[in-house]
Each structure stands twice: as structure tokens, then as C-alpha cells.
Amino acid sequence: MADATPTEPTAADDVPADDAPADLAPADDAPTSSTADDAEVPDQAATEAEAGVAAPPTPARPRRRGLVAAIVVIGIVVVLGVAAVIAETVARAQAQSLIAGEVRSALQLEADHPVDVAIAGPPVLWQAAGGRFERITVDVPELAIGDLRGNLTLIAEGTPLDTAQPTDAVQAVFEVAEADVAALAGLLSGAVATDVRLDDREIRFETGFDVFGVPFTIGIGLTPTVEEGQLAFTPSSVVLGDERLDAEQLQQQFGDIVAPLLASQRVCVAQYLPQALALTAVQVGDEQLLVVFQGADVALSGPEFSTLGTCS
């Protein structure tokens, strides 16, 4: 029988089990897909910072720019508004002072006599740009016109900026309070007038006279009118005791003694006012006597306004 030939070890037999290739490792030792997903991803900004790369600048917010622009615009508007108010105030004060001076000169008043001027309508600067003022009101308190004392109100319509140019229309209203009419009643009656009052469109007062030493008191009512540019006061009612008589009946009873009381009287007021203002109306109110003057194409600084009128 033949001898067995010993078999040479193979390469596989010479390699230890622990040195086996990775592909031959047990499946349990292989990395799973979940481990790969959990790997940390490097931050790009941090990477760029480590690499020395500067971050891009942050753009300005449009909303902040709009707020700044709005504040600037509002500031400009406020400044312009304040400047306009100041300019308007200065212009109004200068115009009022100029007009007040012209009125004092025309009425021959003292420099400190109060004269209040009001300019109505749009702002003075706007009106001045147009060359004329729409409406000017001038109040002169405590003005004496002869024996009468009262408040004068001048209203000028369409007054040019150049006061040497004619104003469209001027109206003057002289208001005499009931208490101040007493001087006028005494002047017209030629006697002492008492209990003077304004009633039923008449100036009523009481006065006395003697007939052979016997005193009588009569009440007289005067109705004012305008005659030939003057104020005319004509007796319109007479009361003797409890009896109401007309002027003719009273004169028949007492003759010429009462003639001065019953005569119509005239009072000139033109000599106290500018000749450009003509007396046009007079009216008895509830508590005041109203005397109205009017003029057209009157220049406030012209000769027709600075010269006093006359009575024919």
C-alpha cells in the first residue's frame, strides 16, 4: 500500500482569523446609515470666520429712512408755519397802526386817544398781495361831536394798500347813549331838560316854564330827521299834565311863551367830521341815538378825509 503524502498548508490556513479582511467582518460590526445622518454639519458662517472671510454688510432698513425723511419734512413745515404767523402778525400790526394814525389825524384827536382797528377777511399778507383790504372796521370811543359824545364806528370797504388811493365805500355810525342825549335836549329846548329818555322813536324829556309866576311842567317829544345835511329835531308830541296836545293847541293856550319849546331846531355835525362823509340818516333806538354818515371813493390819506366839513 502506498505511503500517504503530507499535504502542504494553504495560504488561507496561514492567515489568522483576526486579520481577516474587513469585508469578511461580521455584519454586526458594519456602520449603520443612522450614524452617518447624525454627523455634525459644519456652520458656514463659522467656517468663513475661521477662514478670515468678512461677513457681508447688513443693508439699512427702508422704514428707518422713511421715518427720518418724515421728521425732516414736518420740521420744515413747522418752521415755515411759525415764520408765516410771525410775518402775518407784523404785517397786521403795521397796517392797523397806519390806519389808526390816519383816523386820528382826520378827526383831530390826541395821539393817545384810543382807536381800535380790525381788518376782516383773508390774512393781511394775502390781501396786501392783492393790493387792497376787503373790510376795515375802526372804533373810536368817547368821541365828542359838538355837544354830543358817543362812540364812532367807521367801516371801509375795498381799501387800497396805498391809502392815497380812493376806498370803494366808507360808512360811519355815531352812537349816542340815552344818558348823553340830555345835553342835546337841553340845547334844543332852550331850558333845563329833565327825565330825558329815548322812547317810541322820539327823544322825550320834561321841561318847565312860568306863566305869570305859575309854574308849568310839560313833556315834549322830538323826532330827529336829516335836513340839508344837518340834524333837525322837530316837536312831535306834547304832554301837559295828563293831557296830550299837539304843538298848535299848546301855543294857542300859552302863546309865545312856549314858542321856543315848539320850534324845530337844527344841529350841524359836519364841522366835526371829514368832509368826505355826508350825513344820511338818524334814528332813535331803544337805548341810543344813531347818526349815520356815508362816503364813496374816499382816500383815507387824501384831503377830502383830512379836511373837516361845513354846514351851509
Side-chain angles (χ1 to χ4, degrees):
M1 183 172 78
D3 294 333
T5 304
T7 304
E8 295 180 359
T10 64
D13 295 333
D14 295 335
V15 178
D18 294 338
D19 294 336
D23 56 345
L24 298 179
D28 293 341
D29 295 334
T32 62
S33 59
S34 60
T35 304
D37 293 341
D38 293 340
E40 181 179 358
V41 179
D43 186 5
Q44 182 179 359
T47 302
E48 292 179 351
E50 292 176 357
V53 179
T58 303
R61 296 181 180 180
R63 182 176 301 175
R64 180 173 298 178
R65 291 180 180 177
L67 178 60
V68 172
I71 293 175
V72 171
V73 171
I74 293 174
I76 294 174
V77 171
V78 170
V79 170
L80 292 178
V82 172
V85 170
I86 294 175
E88 169 69 13
T89 302
V90 172
R92 183 176 294 273
Q94 289 180 343
Q96 291 172 336
S97 178
L98 176 62
I99 295 170
E102 297 293 348
V103 172
R104 287 192 184 94
S105 177
L107 300 178
Q108 299 183 0
L109 301 176
E110 299 293 335
D112 59 348
H113 193 102
V115 175
D116 298 324
V117 179
I119 301 176
V124 167
L125 290 176
W126 183 271
Q127 297 187 60
R132 58 199 310 111
F133 300 112
E134 291 185 4
R135 183 185 180 94
I136 298 174
T137 302
V138 182
D139 292 319
V140 185
E142 295 299 317
L143 177 66
I145 298 182
D147 294 303
L148 295 177
R149 180 173 293 273
N151 300 329
L152 180 69
T153 300
L154 286 168
I155 301 174
E157 304 279 355
T159 303
L161 189 62
D162 180 5
T163 56
Q165 300 300 317
T167 295
D168 293 344
V170 177
Q171 183 182 66
V173 179
F174 187 56
E175 302 178 4
V176 183
E178 185 177 63
D180 295 321
V181 178
L184 180 62
L187 175 67
L188 297 176
S189 65
V192 177
T194 60
D195 192 23
V196 180
R197 63 188 183 278
L198 305 178
D199 186 27
D200 197 19
R201 299 187 180 276
E202 288 184 329
I203 301 175
R204 295 186 178 182
F205 61 94
E206 292 184 352
T207 188
F209 64 98
D210 291 340
V211 178
F212 304 116
V214 179
F216 289 88
T217 299
I218 64 173
I220 297 178
L222 301 176
T223 299
T225 57
V226 176
E227 295 182 7
E228 299 180 355
Q230 300 184 56
L231 286 176
F233 297 87
T234 303
S236 51
S237 65
V238 178
V239 176
L240 179 60
D242 296 331
E243 187 177 3
R244 188 180 184 89
L245 307 171
D246 59 30
E248 184 178 354
Q249 290 174 327
L250 184 65
Q251 193 163 9
Q252 288 177 353
Q253 290 187 24
F254 296 97
D256 294 339
I257 296 177
V258 296
L261 300 177
L262 303 177
S264 178
Q265 302 287 341
R266 290 186 180 182
V267 176
C268 177
V269 293
Q271 58 187 327
Y272 305 106
L273 294 173
Q275 66 178 9
L277 300 178
L279 176 62
T280 57
V282 59
Q283 181 180 352
V284 176
D286 293 336
E287 298 180 353
Q288 57 193 1
L289 176 69
L290 302 178
V291 185
V292 181
F293 305 84
Q294 291 182 334
D297 297 329
V298 179
L300 296 183
S301 61
E304 67 275 14
F305 196 76
S306 59
T307 304
L308 299 180
T310 57
C311 294
S312 56

